[in-house]
């Protein structure tokens, strides 16, 4: 009798869980929410493991959020037939990732480094620890952790409610906008339509977000507040800046010495954001000097009419439609101006 009672209780609990889960999922989908993957260390580590593909079959991308939005991976892979390995992390400098790849003797491929000056030339960006956690996870990952990742992702591809950035208990509490204690930094909450992510780690804004002035203004306000915070930090000294250039040169030299290739790209920004970047990070001192010191090729969006005219919906990232156009032209520039062989002959 006791076993039957336990069985009935278990079945009842299962029914309640299934009904609750189904109700939650249906409710979220009816509100227009779509599938998005969690971009934690396991996801980053999964992509990091792909950098060893032959260089004619894969290109690795590191940087901040702009390259995650602006590189449209489906367009890239259709036109080139080359795997785009996306390792950029939003809100962080890619320098730790560059050093990690430089110190990996087995990486001999092609690397594209996206430059967002305010993050690249910094002594520590707000989310740099996220990138460092991903690097550590990759090097220390256990078989059990790998198995957990591969079991979890099929579920995540089917259920909206598994989006921990917006629908977990912690994220729901964060959404209450309880004021932080003095001196405690809390990452602002972006409208959900601004940052959706695919399994390839491409981040994109939904068409609804791009068309909604109120949501775009929310993100513009976040950029404005973060910009004010950055101005409170002490300016970088010439000695610190020189040290960054030296470390980047050392890393790129290591990769090139093994037969790898490194190219820098400055992806689009617009409006007040672009004007502020021009004043705060003059080209000759930062971008031009970076290319001169490292002897690496570079593509600055303002140098090419095909990609110099985009208006970013919130001043800093391309819409998905514009990302596809940018990617198509970016491929053409890489081929015609930089001599990279990319185009898929079967396209």
């Amino acid at each position: 009798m006791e076993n039957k009672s336990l069985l009935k209780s278990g079945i009842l609990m299962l029914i309640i869980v299934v009904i609750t889960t189904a109700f939650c999922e249906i409710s979220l989908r009816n509100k227009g929410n779509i599938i998005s993957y969690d971009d934690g260390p396991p996801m980053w580590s999964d992509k990091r493991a792909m950098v060893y593909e032959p260089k004619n079959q894969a290109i690795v991308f590191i940087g901040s959020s702009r390259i995650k939005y602006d590189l449209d991976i489906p367009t890239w892979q259709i036109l080139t037939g080359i795997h785009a390995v996306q390792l950029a992390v939003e809100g962080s400098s890619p320098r730790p990732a560059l050093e990690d790849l430089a110190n990996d003797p087995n990486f001999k491929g092609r690397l594209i480094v996206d430059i967002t000056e305010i993050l690249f030339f910094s002594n520590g960006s707000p989310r740099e620890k996220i990138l460092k956690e991903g690097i550590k996870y990759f090097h220390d990952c256990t078989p059990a952790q790998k198995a957990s990742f591969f079991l979890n992702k099929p579920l995540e591809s089917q259920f909206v409610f598994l989006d921990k950035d917006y629908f977990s208990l912690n994220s729901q509490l964060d959404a209450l906008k309880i004021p932080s204690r003095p001196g405690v930094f809390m990452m602002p909450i972006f409208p959900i339509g601004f940052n959706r992510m695919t399994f390839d780690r491409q981040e994109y804004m939904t068409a609804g977000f791009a068309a909604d002035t109120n949501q775009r203004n929310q993100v513009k306000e976040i950029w404005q507040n973060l910009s004010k915070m950055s101005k409170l930090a002490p300016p970088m000294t010439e000695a610190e800046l020189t040290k960054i250039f030296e470390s980047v040169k050392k890393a790129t030299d290591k990769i090139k010495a093994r037969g790898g290739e490194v190219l820098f790209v400055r992806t689009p920004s617009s409006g007040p954001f672009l004007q502020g970047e021009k004043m705060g990070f003059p080209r000759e001192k930062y971008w031009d000097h970076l290319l001169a010191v490292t002897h690496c090729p570079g593509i600055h969006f303002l140098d090419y009419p095909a990609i110099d005219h985009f208006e970013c919906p919130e001043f800093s990232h391309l819409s998905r439609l514009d990302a596809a156009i940018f990617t198509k032209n970016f491929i053409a520039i890489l081929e015609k101006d930089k001599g990279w062989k990319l185009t898929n002959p079967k396209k």
Side-chain angles (χ1 to χ4, degrees):
M1 288 294 292
E2 184 177 349
N3 288 339
K4 288 184 178 180
S5 178
L6 288 173
L7 179 61
K8 287 181 180 179
S9 298
I11 292 173
L12 178 61
M13 180 60 67
L14 178 62
I15 292 171
I16 292 172
V17 169
V18 169
I19 292 174
T20 302
T21 300
F23 176 80
C24 179
E25 182 69 14
I26 292 169
S27 176
L28 290 172
R29 287 180 181 266
N30 284 341
K31 293 177 181 178
N33 295 298
I34 56 178
I35 296 292
S36 180
Y37 289 87
D38 292 332
D39 193 20
M43 175 71 92
W44 191 92
S45 176
D46 179 63
K47 308 315 172 202
R48 171 64 176 81
M50 299 174 180
V51 306
Y52 307 112
E53 297 177 40
K55 73 157 122 180
N56 65 336
Q57 296 178 23
I59 294 179
V60 181
F61 294 82
I62 62 175
S64 309
S65 59
R66 285 179 186 164
I67 196 66
K68 285 186 76 177
Y69 280 84
D70 297 359
L71 180 75
D72 187 63
I73 292 179
T75 299
W76 171 275
Q77 295 184 171
I78 287 171
L79 293 179
T80 68
I82 295 174
H83 183 201
V85 181
Q86 180 58 269
L87 295 181
V89 173
E90 61 274 18
S92 74
S93 168
R95 291 193 342 256
L98 176 62
E99 291 177 7
D100 179 55
L101 292 170
N103 292 329
D104 185 341
N106 296 315
F107 175 67
K108 304 173 184 179
R110 289 188 285 185
L111 176 66
I112 294 180
V113 185
D114 183 43
I115 303 297
T116 298
E117 295 90 347
I118 196 171
L119 294 171
F120 191 88
F121 298 103
S122 70
N123 285 322
S125 48
R127 288 177 56 84
E128 194 165 298
K129 68 175 184 178
I130 304 296
L131 173 56
K132 291 180 177 178
E133 286 172 2
I135 294 170
K136 185 177 186 304
Y137 190 96
F138 169 75
H139 290 289
D140 298 340
C141 190
T142 65
Q145 288 173 319
K146 290 181 181 179
S148 176
F149 173 80
F150 284 107
L151 289 172
N152 182 58
K153 290 310 162 184
L155 291 174
E156 206 172 333
S157 69
Q158 300 298 318
F159 296 105
V160 170
F161 76 89
L162 291 176
D163 183 347
K164 70 177 182 62
D165 288 335
Y166 283 91
F167 303 127
S168 66
L169 178 59
N170 285 341
S171 64
Q172 293 295 304
L173 290 173
D174 289 341
L176 296 176
K177 298 182 180 180
I178 300 172
S180 302
R181 299 190 307 276
V184 176
F185 174 77
M186 290 290 290
M187 195 66 188
I189 298 173
F190 292 90
I192 190 170
F194 175 60
N195 52 350
R196 304 286 79 204
M197 201 185 75
T198 70
F199 188 68
D200 290 323
R201 294 192 75 250
Q202 177 178 340
E203 203 149 5
Y204 67 95
M205 57 186 79
T206 64
F209 171 86
D212 189 327
T213 302
N214 288 332
Q215 291 188 65
R216 296 201 311 270
N217 285 341
Q218 286 181 46
V219 178
K220 290 176 183 177
E221 185 178 355
I222 290 172
W223 298 151
Q224 188 176 38
N225 290 336
L226 290 176
S227 177
K228 289 177 181 177
M229 289 178 59
S230 68
K231 292 176 182 177
L232 297 176
M236 181 171 288
T237 66
E238 290 299 321
E240 289 173 321
L241 187 56
T242 298
K243 189 174 180 180
I244 287 177
F245 283 120
E246 289 174 347
S247 68
V248 173
K249 174 176 171 50
K250 182 179 179 181
T252 56
D253 283 350
K254 284 183 179 181
I255 294 171
K256 290 188 288 183
R258 296 195 295 263
E261 298 176 65
V262 182
L263 179 141
F264 294 100
V265 61
R266 173 52 161 90
T267 39
S269 55
S270 63
F273 213 122
L274 176 58
Q275 296 308 312
E277 289 171 321
K278 285 181 176 179
M279 290 187 292
F281 299 90
R283 247 182 98 156
E284 61 277 7
K285 183 176 180 179
Y286 292 91
W287 173 261
D288 293 345
H289 192 55
L290 177 66
L291 301 189
V293 167
T294 60
H295 302 290
C296 292
I299 295 174
H300 196 297
F301 80 99
L302 290 176
D303 293 338
Y304 299 89
I307 57 173
D308 71 351
H309 59 281
F310 292 106
E311 292 294 328
C312 303
E314 34 61 78
F315 299 144
S316 192
H317 305 84
L318 297 180
S319 68
R320 200 164 193 184
L321 178 62
D322 281 345
I325 298 170
F326 169 83
T327 301
K328 180 179 179 181
N329 286 289
F330 182 52
I331 292 168
I333 293 167
L334 282 169
E335 287 192 308
K336 295 175 183 177
D337 192 64
K338 303 304 175 184
W340 284 32
K341 294 181 179 180
L342 297 172
T343 304
N344 182 0
K346 297 180 181 180
K347 78 178 191 305

